Amino acid sequence: MSEFTLNVTARNDLGKGASRRLRRNANLIPAVIYGGEEAPLSISLETREVAKLLLNEAAFSSILTLKLDGKDQLVLIKDLQRHPSKGFVMHADFIRVIAGQVLTAIVPVHYLNEEECVGVKLGGGDLLRSTPELEVSCLPQDLPEAIEVDVLNLEVGETLHLSQIAAPKGVEFVALTNENDLPIATVQPPRAEEEEEEAVEGAEEAPAAEEAKED
């Protein structure tokens, strides 16, 4: 679990107009911390610090330390609202992390041995990455930066499902608790092979269609 720290400031001037002024005049991003037993807290962050933080993929699935008035707030990024065309962050939502309390978070999936995958290297297939991120449930100290998925032995036409992946210690996959065994990766047959199969299927269906017309 990586450690990331941001300096934040409490804000009392709320509303859309106040948020616009923060972004335009002070180069700050409005944000809110919520969750736990405490009331939601409105804060602002430096645009430059946030941009630097988000360059690291691990920040999205790590516990962050927000320094506010000499006190540390442990949080997760819950949501980022971005400008529709320019992509910069306009608002951020953070959720408090409570020691000893199970949390849920979205973590990225890292695929291992893609180039050495049997179905790709020997079978000529194409690797389809079905799930770029997963929702996990765990205690704060067990939160992984990413879920590693080894596709080395995946063969052509084979699909790897979530139930076949070993979760890190102390971590549960939320989808499985909801009985949703997600496909994680599939090796698709080479395109030429697919077209050949489609042609064969079409040829087999044609006589059946002619017989149906005669009847």
Side-chain angles (χ1 to χ4, degrees):
M1 180 166 51
S2 297
E3 293 186 1
F4 299 91
T5 301
L6 289 172
N7 294 307
V8 305
T9 305
R11 60 188 176 94
N12 298 316
D13 191 7
L14 308 180
K16 292 183 178 180
S19 295
R20 282 195 295 269
R21 286 192 294 274
L22 272 178
R23 288 190 291 266
R24 290 178 181 174
N25 303 332
N27 205 24
L28 297 174
I29 297 173
V32 176
I33 303 172
Y34 63 94
E37 297 180 357
E38 298 180 45
L41 179 62
S42 297
I43 60 171
S44 61
L45 310 90
E46 287 191 15
T47 300
R48 183 177 56 182
E49 282 198 19
V50 173
K52 183 178 179 181
L53 170 75
L54 299 182
L55 291 175
N56 193 326
E57 181 192 44
F60 291 91
S61 55
S62 295
I63 296 174
L64 315 180
T65 300
L66 302 185
K67 291 191 170 295
L68 175 64
D69 297 332
K71 296 182 180 179
D72 291 347
Q73 299 261 348
L74 300 182
V75 302
L76 286 171
I77 296 174
K78 188 64 176 177
D79 186 48
L80 297 175
Q81 297 175 23
R82 297 180 181 271
H83 189 279
S85 60
K86 298 181 180 179
F88 59 80
V89 177
M90 299 178 64
H91 189 278
D93 289 332
F94 299 99
I95 187 165
R96 293 185 178 96
V97 172
I98 311 299
Q101 182 174 310
V102 172
L103 57 82
T104 58
I106 303 294
V107 299
V109 172
H110 288 174
Y111 291 88
L112 307 180
N113 296 311
E114 294 182 58
E115 295 182 358
E116 299 300 317
C117 173
V118 171
V120 175
K121 188 172 183 178
L122 300 181
D126 295 318
L127 181 66
L128 176 63
R129 305 163 192 79
S130 307
T131 310
E133 56 188 22
L134 286 166
E135 186 175 19
V136 301
S137 175
C138 61
L139 291 172
Q141 65 269 22
D142 295 326
L143 181 63
E145 288 185 9
I147 300 299
E148 294 186 340
V149 175
D150 192 344
V151 295
L152 178 63
N153 297 316
L154 202 60
E155 299 183 357
V156 173
E158 190 176 7
T159 297
L160 183 68
H161 286 85
L162 184 58
S163 60
Q164 298 171 267
I165 299 172
K169 184 178 179 181
V171 175
E172 288 186 346
F173 296 129
V174 174
L176 289 183
T177 62
N178 296 327
E179 299 183 351
N180 185 10
D181 194 6
L182 298 171
I184 303 300
T186 301
V187 177
Q188 296 179 324
R191 187 59 190 168
E193 183 178 322
E194 287 183 352
E195 292 174 350
E196 183 178 338
E197 289 178 358
E198 290 172 2
V200 171
E201 290 175 359
E204 292 175 347
E205 291 173 0
E210 291 297 327
E211 291 177 6
K213 288 180 181 179
E214 293 175 1
D215 292 341

